[in-house]
Amino acid sequence: MDKLILIKYGELTTKKSNRLAFVKLLAKNIENILKDENYKLKYDRVRMYIECEDADTISLKLKNVFGIHGIVICHKVNNNVDEIKEKVLEILKNEKFNTFKVETKRALKSFEIHSQDFNRIIGGLILKNFECKVDVHNPDLLLKIEIRPEGTFIYTNEIEGIGGYPVGIQGKGMLMLSGGIDSPVSGYLTLKRGVDLECLYFESPPHTSIQAKNKVIELADIINKYSGNIKVNVVPFTKLQEAIYKNVDDNYVITIMRRMMYRIAEKVAKLHKCKIIINGESIGQVASQTLSSMGVINNVTNMPVIRPVACMDKLEIIEIARNIKTYDTSILPYEDCCTIFLPKHPVINPELDRCLYYESKFNYEELVLECVNNIEVITNLNNRNNDLL
Ligand code: ATP
Ligand code: MG
């Protein structure tokens, strides 16, 4: 088989010390995404190759794998001038172009012809066999030839990879996943930095519906295309939420509710060996996301809380949501526990002392533990890797 997919790592290559660990994890993630395909994967510290029958299907799937920066469908021949010439002619027969440029990279220094000379030899061959001109600035067709110790690779165009780091290289984080627009985008951005996810969803039946829960599972499923390992932990929040509404003044209920969410998130995160909490908070978006509110709410945990969309405008978040295909699901109109019984005037500058006072009025610790102990874990997301393509 002379057709190969060459995978370029990009950012990975800058991490010299633990490069092999990166590459091994990337290989594992690729195997996960390609589990239904027929292929052979080979790799070393600098390159990864896939031999396969259906290079087009596989390269499309590889576009969802974080850590891949370039995907090249290429042809491999021996380091032999005649073989290279023959393959170039064969490849170009299927290409349409008026102008071209040849770029040779000679990684194998013992190869007898220098890069510039080789460009001229192959350029001459192309001019002789096709009706075309050379254009070194803006060619219709860029023919790349890489002469490496293991063989010569010839290809015409590189498909851009999704970038980022291999999912899992940074361990795991606990994503507070609601049915809104912001938190799935936050999850996607965190996955991109190499953090694998578990999700945490607070439901308050009968105040929130089964449709609201299914919507969250659907969102988890969509971002699971970039991981394959995501689970959803569903927290039964009703009793605790009702206790909050009974004991706390109207304008502080959201603040206290969010402090409880953080407490629960920290406990569940620790149980599942997650190193951070992630959520979709964005500065100034609602009363609970002013800087004062964030401070008072964040006060209940020492675990790092990452807010990937904190500094984005809603329109920027929506653009990402559309690209990753979570948007249409996010805008389905089902109530979340944060939007039921919304107070008329939620406090914008909450005071910590007031929070502590309200929390002293009821035994919230017991209710928090009850939430943690009665979580329903949903593991069987239908990992529909193909649908994104
Ligand atoms: P929207 O996109 O409409 O702003 P949102 O999901 O961001 O919706 P917010 O009320 O702004 O909703 O909540 C801020 C963050 O708190 C969410 O992004 C999410 O991380 C977390 N959160 C809110 N409600 C829940 C919930 N029911 N379960 C889990 N996390 C939640
Ligand atoms: Mg929001």
Side-chain angles (χ1 to χ4, degrees), residues 181-183 280-282 285-286 289 314:
I181 297 166
D182 305 328
S183 48
E281 290 175 346
S282 183
Q285 197 180 79
V286 287
Q289 291 163 32
K314 194 77 189 185

Side-chain angles (χ1 to χ4, degrees), residues 51 162 165 180 189 203 207 228 270 291 318 321 347:
E51 283 178 24
I162 194 169
Y165 292 130
L189 292 172
E203 68 163 353
H207 314 298
K270 283 185 177 156
L291 294 187
I318 288 176
V347 61

